[in-house]
């Protein structure tokens, strides 16, 4: 056993390897710029969903005036795109396994482009719903594929930072949508909402072309037997040559390719190319205990992300502020822009904290802040409902608490839901597992969005936020007892993590740090402080 640049004997060599790879100061301080660029381009597709959510919150005011439609029709119009997303996310898993992650992103941008144009030129409610359907398919594609591609291309040292980018761009899209509302609000009613919706075609066209400059996912390339291309991508997206070799070794092991195979192209049986055969059975019909826990965690985090009311707040911010006592359209839209600004700023803060403090601390802190802000918002709205005069302090408190709620969401639960669900599934199950998480996300969002006004009328707006606070409390308990820390883990060793996780150990992080610096198969996992899991 030899190592370049050292003459020590084998017994000391293992110690030398650990000393080389363990201390933080040996790792590069700068983030990999190429991986950063790839993650940015892929995640920018998520701006499509954010823009749609943000712009519809204001456009709905003018659509209702233009066509004189009911609250129920507005609820359906705003929320139905989340259910339409199911078609896109369900198709995206299989599509991405068949043609690759990169071209799936192109398809997402092209479909949304068509949907935005259809919405902008809609002549009646039914026509507008067709546009929503087409746009929803594009959004579903984008939501599923962006975090999967980013997780697969990112080095472990910055995977949390980079995989949070989809949520960053969702927030950026929401803010752009709010700004678009404000910018076009002075146009005639029949034109204002058309410009708000139709202008969304521009970024989708740019994105569809821009992502062609990205490389394909190295994990998908390996599953196709294209090892030479995968090596080149890993070399450019890893923190060091050693880490690139280690990542390739892990992916080959997970794909069932012999570790000593160094050919640029290898023959992979079509049944093994990860094109969906047997995946659903492995996920749902006959899962291992570890896969079962991963599935519950991946779907559960998306369920609670939406059931705690975030899309209701983002979509209906102008309506909430109207309930609080703000009657002027411009003032409502300005307050809404402030919400979008708070949401965007705090998601940017979260991206720099994910790989420093880990997923669990941020997640639990985030949900705790959401619970407090929801309770305070419900209280202030209830006070306003029972008051016969305008209460300036209560209005200010409502605006502050809406901003506090979206800020708390953005600093933890918002980005971590996408980061967590994209990194915990085994390679063979990743695309379909992620698509199931997206499906749950969009179904719950659709239900919340399409029932918010009716629920507010039934139990008051304040009562609705008390209900959301109760859901957020259950979410905190679920996250505390069921989700292990994944910071620093390679994607290939999540199986071991979930198989062995005990929630009491997570209090001291023993549950995930126990594998640190251990050897497996005669080598150390570079850049992840973790062992390699055989046969995953």
């Amino acid at each position: 056993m030899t190592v370049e640049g050292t003459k020590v004997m084998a017994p000391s060599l293992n110690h030398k390897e650990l000393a080389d790879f363990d201390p933080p100061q040996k790792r590069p301080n700068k983030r990999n710029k190429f991986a950063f660029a790839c993650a940015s381009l892929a995640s920018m597709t998520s701006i499509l969903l954010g823009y749609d959510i943000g712009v519809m919150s204001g456009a709905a005011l003018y659509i209702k005036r233009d066509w004189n439609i009911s609250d129920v029709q507005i609820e359906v119009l705003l929320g139905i795109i989340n259910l339409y997303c199911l078609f896109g996310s369900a198709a995206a898993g299989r599509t991405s396994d068949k043609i690759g992650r990169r071209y799936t992103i192109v398809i997402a941008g092209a479909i949304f482009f068509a949907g935005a144009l259809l919405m902008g030129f809609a002549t009646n409610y039914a026509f507008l719903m067709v546009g929503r359907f087409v746009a929803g398919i594009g959004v579903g594609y984008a939501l599923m594929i962006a975090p999967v591609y980013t997780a697969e291309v990112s080095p472990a040292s910055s995977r949390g930072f980079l995989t949070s980018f989809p949520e960053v761009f969702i927030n950026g899209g929401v803010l752009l949508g709010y700004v678009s509302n404000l910018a076009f609000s002075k146009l005639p009613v029949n034109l204002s909402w058309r410009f708000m919706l139709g202008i969304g075609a521009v970024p989708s066209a740019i994105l569809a072309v821009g992502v062609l400059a990205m490389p394909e996912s190295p994990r998908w390339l390996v599953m196709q037997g294209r090892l030479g291309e995968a090596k080149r991508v890993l070399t450019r997206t890893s923190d060091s040559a050693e880490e690139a070799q280690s990542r390739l070794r892990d992916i080959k092991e997970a794909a069932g390719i012999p570790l000593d195979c160094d050919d640029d192209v290898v023959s992979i049986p079509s049944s093994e190319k990860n094109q969906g055969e047997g995946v659903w059975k492995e996920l749902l019909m006959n899962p291992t205990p570890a896969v079962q826990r991963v599935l519950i965690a991946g779907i559960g985090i998306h369920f609670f992300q939406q059931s705690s009311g975030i899309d209701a707040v983002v979509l209906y911010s102008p309506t909430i502020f109207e309930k609080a006592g703000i009657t002027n359209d411009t003032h409502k839209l300005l307050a809404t822009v402030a919400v979008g600004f708070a949401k965007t700023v705090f998601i940017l803060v979260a991206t720099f904290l994910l790989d420093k403090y880990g997923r669990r601390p941020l997640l639990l802190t985030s949900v705790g802040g959401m619970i407090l802000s929801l309770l305070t918002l419900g209280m202030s709205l209830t006070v306003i409902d029972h008051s016969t005069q305008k209460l300036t302090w209560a209005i200010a408190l409502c605006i502050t608490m809406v901003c506090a709620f979206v800020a708390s969401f953005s600093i933890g639960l918002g980005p971590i839901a996408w980061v967590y669900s994209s990194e915990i599934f085994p390679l063979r199950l990743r695309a379909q597992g992620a698509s199931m998480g997206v499906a749950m996300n969009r179904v719950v969002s659709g239900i919340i969005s399409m029932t918010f006004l009716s629920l507010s009328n039934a139990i008051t707006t304040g009562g609705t936020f008390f209900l959301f606070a109760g859901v957020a409390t259950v979410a905190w308990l679920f996250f505390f007892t069921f989700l292990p820390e994944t910071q620093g883990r390679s994607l290939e060793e999540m199986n071991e993590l979930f198989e062995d996780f005990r929630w009491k150990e997570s209090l001291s992080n023993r549950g995930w740090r126990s594998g640190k610096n251990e050897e497996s198969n005669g080598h150390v996992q570079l850049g992840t402080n973790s062992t390699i899991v055989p046969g995953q």
Side-chain angles (χ1 to χ4, degrees):
M1 193 171 184
T2 62
V3 173
E4 184 178 352
T6 182
K7 297 182 180 180
V8 296
M9 299 300 290
S12 301
L13 181 56
N14 289 335
H15 176 73
K16 178 65 177 176
E17 287 180 335
L18 293 173
D20 281 344
F21 303 144
D22 184 41
Q25 62 267 28
K26 295 292 183 182
R27 299 175 59 104
N29 294 323
K30 293 185 177 180
R31 299 188 187 276
N32 186 293
K33 293 180 180 179
F34 186 71
F36 180 92
C38 292
S40 298
L41 278 172
S43 301
M44 283 179 72
T45 56
S46 301
I47 207 170
L48 305 179
L49 172 64
Y51 183 83
D52 183 87
I53 292 173
V55 80
M56 283 304 297
S57 68
L61 299 175
Y62 300 95
I63 294 172
K64 184 175 183 179
R65 292 171 191 170
D66 191 17
W67 289 345
N68 195 29
I69 56 180
S70 67
D71 280 348
V72 173
Q73 287 176 300
I74 288 293
E75 283 181 323
V76 173
L77 181 65
L78 268 61
I80 197 67
I81 194 171
N82 297 298
L83 302 186
Y84 292 156
C85 282
L86 296 179
F87 295 95
S89 62
R94 186 66 178 267
T95 303
S96 67
D97 282 341
K98 204 156 188 73
I99 68 172
R101 313 320 196 198
R102 182 176 61 160
Y103 288 113
T104 303
I105 295 174
V106 175
I107 289 174
I111 295 175
F112 189 87
F113 175 84
L117 289 181
L118 287 172
M119 289 190 291
F121 288 104
T123 55
N124 53 48
Y125 187 81
F127 193 158
L128 185 56
M129 289 294 282
V130 172
R132 300 290 283 164
F133 175 74
V134 175
I137 293 176
V139 168
Y141 264 87
L143 279 178
M144 179 266 157
I145 196 58
V148 168
Y149 175 89
T150 306
E152 292 183 345
V153 81
S154 303
S157 63
S158 56
R159 191 175 63 241
F161 173 73
L162 297 178
T163 316
S164 66
F165 278 20
E167 183 68 16
V168 172
F169 285 104
I170 288 175
N171 281 270
V174 168
L175 182 57
L176 286 176
Y178 288 160
V179 172
S180 177
N181 288 335
L182 194 59
F184 295 115
S185 62
K186 301 302 181 182
L187 293 176
V189 171
N190 65 323
L191 292 179
S192 58
W193 64 266
R194 296 181 188 278
F195 275 91
M196 293 174 188
L197 299 179
I199 201 72
V202 175
S204 61
I206 296 172
L207 292 173
V209 175
V211 295
L212 293 175
M214 302 184 327
E216 186 49 82
S217 157
R219 285 178 170 81
W220 184 83
L221 291 171
V222 170
M223 294 305 298
Q224 306 305 304
R226 294 155 62 177
L227 299 186
E229 293 178 61
K231 291 176 189 175
R232 290 190 288 273
V233 176
L234 286 169
T235 298
R236 299 189 69 185
T237 59
S238 298
D239 291 335
S240 65
E242 290 84 0
E243 185 185 4
Q245 292 172 5
S246 181
R247 289 173 68 189
L248 179 62
R249 198 163 47 227
D250 288 346
I251 300 170
K252 286 163 66 176
E253 188 174 33
I257 298 174
L259 297 182
D260 58 355
C261 178
D262 290 323
D263 297 336
D264 283 349
V265 179
V266 298
S267 177
I268 305 289
S270 59
S271 61
E272 299 295 327
K273 284 191 177 182
N274 197 25
Q275 294 180 356
E277 292 84 352
V279 168
W280 294 115
K281 181 179 179 181
E282 194 172 341
L283 269 174
L284 301 175
M285 303 299 293
N286 192 30
T288 64
V291 169
Q292 190 175 55
R293 287 181 64 90
V294 164
L295 188 62
I296 293 172
I299 292 178
I301 196 169
H302 278 289
F303 170 82
F304 284 115
Q305 187 202 52
Q306 292 300 327
S307 61
S308 53
I310 185 61
D311 275 4
V313 171
V314 174
L315 273 172
Y316 294 102
S317 287
T319 303
I320 294 169
F321 294 138
E322 186 174 340
K323 294 283 187 181
I326 302 175
T327 55
N328 182 278
D329 277 357
T330 301
H331 292 168
K332 281 186 285 189
L333 294 177
L334 281 171
T336 302
V337 169
V339 172
F341 183 76
K343 200 169 187 294
T344 303
V345 167
F346 278 88
I347 188 63
L348 292 174
V349 173
T351 61
F352 293 98
L353 299 179
L354 275 169
D355 289 314
K356 183 176 182 180
Y357 296 107
R359 285 43 159 173
R360 275 176 61 91
L362 283 179
L363 188 60
L364 296 175
T365 302
S366 165
V367 179
M370 290 167 59
I371 294 169
L372 292 176
S373 55
L374 284 169
L375 289 172
T376 308
L377 178 60
M379 180 199 69
S380 57
L381 286 170
T382 301
V383 168
I384 290 172
D385 274 347
H386 289 82
S387 175
T388 56
Q389 52 186 311
K390 189 172 183 178
L391 301 175
T392 304
W393 67 267
I395 295 174
L397 187 59
C398 282
I399 297 174
T400 303
M401 287 302 104
V402 170
C403 290
F405 172 70
V406 298
S408 297
F409 175 86
S410 292
I411 206 166
L413 183 55
I416 290 173
W418 302 105
V419 172
Y420 207 86
S421 63
S422 65
E423 68 185 0
I424 61 177
F425 286 98
L427 175 61
R428 174 171 168 75
L429 312 178
R430 186 166 299 135
Q432 281 78 9
S435 70
M436 290 181 67
V438 172
M440 175 59 73
N441 189 289
R442 293 299 91 196
V443 166
V444 178
S445 176
I447 293 172
I448 297 295
S449 302
M450 289 191 291
T451 58
F452 178 76
L453 293 179
S454 299
L455 188 61
S456 296
N457 291 334
I459 64 173
T460 73
T461 306
T464 301
F465 285 110
F466 285 132
L467 178 61
F468 289 152
V471 173
T473 302
V474 176
W476 194 96
L477 294 173
F478 173 79
F479 298 150
F480 182 78
T481 58
F482 206 83
L483 271 60
E485 179 60 73
T486 57
Q487 180 194 24
R489 286 283 192 172
S490 72
L491 295 179
E492 279 63 48
E493 67 174 331
M494 294 297 175
N495 185 74
E496 180 191 48
L497 176 63
F498 275 84
E499 197 168 49
D500 298 337
F501 175 68
R502 300 294 181 271
W503 72 270
K504 290 182 180 179
E505 295 176 343
S506 69
L507 295 175
S508 60
N509 275 341
R510 290 197 306 272
W512 74 275
R513 293 187 187 276
S514 58
K516 185 177 179 179
N517 297 337
E518 293 177 5
E519 287 185 88
S520 179
N521 296 340
H523 58 275
V524 174
Q525 173 73 15
L526 304 183
T528 63
N529 293 333
S530 52
T531 58
I532 294 175
V533 180
Q536 184 177 347

